[in-house]
Amino acid sequence: MRDFALFNQAIDSKLRSCDLVKLRVSDVAHGKHVLKRTMVMQQKTQRPVQFEITDKTRASLSKWIDQAKLSNSDFLFKGQTNSEGHNDQ
C-alpha cells in the first residue's frame, strides 16, 4: 500500500524524490481528510509548488495513512527498512 500511495503521489505532484520523502501527513491531509490540493516548498529551488491530488491518489493515501496508523506530524513515506522511521538529512 505504501509503494502504491507513493507512486500515485509522485505522478500527481511531479515532485523530486527528495521532496516526496520529506512530505508529512499534514502536508496532504487534515485529520482523516486528504486534501484535493496542497502546496509544499521545493528543497532544491526553495519555491512553493501547488498541485492537485486526484481521487485515486487521495484514496490510496487515505488507505496508507490508516493502515500505517500515521499521525499528522509523521512522515508520509517512512523508510521500509528503518523501524525508527525516516532519516531526515
Side-chain angles (χ1 to χ4, degrees), residues 7-61:
F7 178 76
N8 285 337
Q9 184 63 51
I11 290 173
D12 278 5
S13 67
K14 297 177 182 64
L15 289 172
R16 292 175 179 90
S17 58
C18 62
D19 295 323
L20 276 171
V21 297
K22 289 189 178 208
L23 287 175
R24 294 194 181 263
V25 174
S26 60
D27 292 327
V28 298
H30 289 292
K32 294 205 177 247
H33 176 72
V34 178
L35 304 170
K36 290 185 177 188
R37 182 184 305 249
T38 192
M39 185 182 300
V40 296
M41 189 70 68
Q42 294 181 77
Q43 180 180 347
K44 183 176 180 180
T45 63
Q46 294 301 306
R47 292 181 185 227
V49 61
Q50 184 174 8
F51 55 90
E52 290 187 33
I53 304 173
T54 63
D55 292 339
K56 183 178 182 179
T57 301
R58 285 199 319 271
S60 64
L61 287 171

Side-chain angles (χ1 to χ4, degrees), residues 17-24 43 73 75 77-79 82 84-89:
S17 58
C18 62
D19 295 323
L20 276 171
V21 297
K22 289 189 178 208
L23 287 175
R24 294 194 181 263
Q43 180 180 347
S73 62
F75 284 101
F77 303 112
K78 295 180 182 180
N82 185 351
E84 296 298 315
H86 184 276
N87 291 332
D88 190 18
Q89 298 178 358

